[in-house]
Amino acid sequence: SLKIESQALIPLMPSPKEISGSIVEADCDGFPSVGKKKYLLVVGSPPDEARDRFPKAYSYLENGQREGAGEGYLCQSRKVWYYQEKREPPLYLTTYMGRNGSNGKGAIRFLLNRTAAVATNVYICLYPNALLRNLLAEDPAREVELLDALNAISGESLQRAGRKYGGGLQKIEPKELRSLRLANSPPWLRLKRKPEQLSLFVN
């Protein structure tokens, strides 16, 4: 409704609750094909330049500043208060907090991201390191094979690595995630590394 310039908006991953499968496919514009379309406002230009390049977005930012958005703790620590952290769309993500669902879904799930969407901090973003990127590039089917191996990590292993709270809530942090092993490592990966495979990702 504000007609903010599309160049200032990038796709955002929907909530885990909106994603039923393990692979998030893209629509023709790179947005996730599931859930409601969400956007992240990213204006990386300084104010004078942003005012000319993105007048609608800049007007929105000015309104936010009038309402005190620029005075928050994180905003005050930035060179320009509205600058965003620069992140690439992660190839894999995991939900870092959840409860076991009645539909058989585990509390912690791994997802394959085939979209141009970035993710908020309700996910842990997993970026393959150089070795894993090269291995995945050799065969497109390997992305799904690795996804299956990640989701084959037992709930017991995830629970031991992380922590459990009242009401069945489970949580795992990035450092705890790196301690996990792949029980069913794909052959093409098994030949390259020992079972401690989560070190193949950076986050």
Side-chain angles (χ1 to χ4, degrees):
S1 64
L2 298 173
K3 302 191 185 304
I4 290 175
E5 295 81 4
S6 61
Q7 298 93 327
L9 300 170
I10 62 176
L12 194 60
M13 191 65 63
S15 161
K17 294 179 180 178
E18 298 178 80
I19 301 174
S20 57
S22 297
I23 302 176
V24 185
E25 301 286 0
D27 66 12
C28 58
D29 296 316
F31 280 84
S33 59
V34 295
K36 183 179 178 181
K37 277 190 177 181
K38 297 178 181 179
Y39 305 84
L40 182 65
L41 177 66
V42 178
V43 178
S45 306
D48 289 345
E49 185 180 336
R51 188 183 294 110
D52 295 332
R53 291 186 63 198
F54 310 111
K56 299 290 186 183
Y58 189 75
S59 175
Y60 174 75
L61 290 169
E62 281 187 314
N63 185 58
Q65 190 162 28
R66 284 192 293 270
E67 294 180 359
E71 297 169 11
Y73 173 76
L74 288 177
C75 291
Q76 283 186 329
S77 67
R78 296 170 179 158
K79 183 179 178 181
V80 177
W81 73 269
Y82 56 77
Y83 280 2
Q84 293 280 1
E85 177 187 18
K86 292 181 180 179
R87 279 273 184 173
E88 294 297 319
L91 183 60
Y92 294 91
L93 310 101
T94 180
T95 56
Y96 83 100
M97 183 184 295
R99 291 181 172 84
N100 287 317
S102 57
N103 56 2
K105 288 182 189 173
I108 308 297
R109 295 188 291 143
F110 292 88
L111 306 172
L112 173 60
N113 178 26
R114 287 179 166 165
T115 78
V118 296
T120 65
N121 59 2
V122 299
Y123 295 98
I124 297 173
C125 299
L126 301 175
Y127 298 91
N129 66 15
L131 170 64
L132 183 53
R133 282 199 307 270
N134 290 336
L135 290 170
L136 292 171
E138 291 176 12
D139 185 348
R142 289 181 174 181
E143 289 184 353
V144 177
E145 290 173 4
L146 180 55
L147 175 68
D148 292 341
L150 289 166
N151 278 317
I153 297 172
S154 69
E156 291 80 5
S157 296
L158 288 162
Q159 191 171 321
R160 282 196 304 270
R163 61 204 74 181
K164 192 171 183 178
Y165 298 92
L169 181 67
Q170 294 182 37
K171 183 179 180 182
I172 194 164
E173 299 287 354
K175 286 184 180 179
E176 297 165 338
L177 194 65
R178 287 196 192 102
S179 71
L180 291 168
R181 294 168 177 253
L182 293 180
N184 300 314
S185 182
W188 51 268
L189 188 55
R190 199 177 304 136
L191 294 171
K192 296 288 183 179
R193 293 292 288 256
K194 294 180 180 179
E196 294 133 310
Q197 304 292 1
L198 272 294
S199 62
L200 289 167
F201 294 99
V202 293
N203 47 32

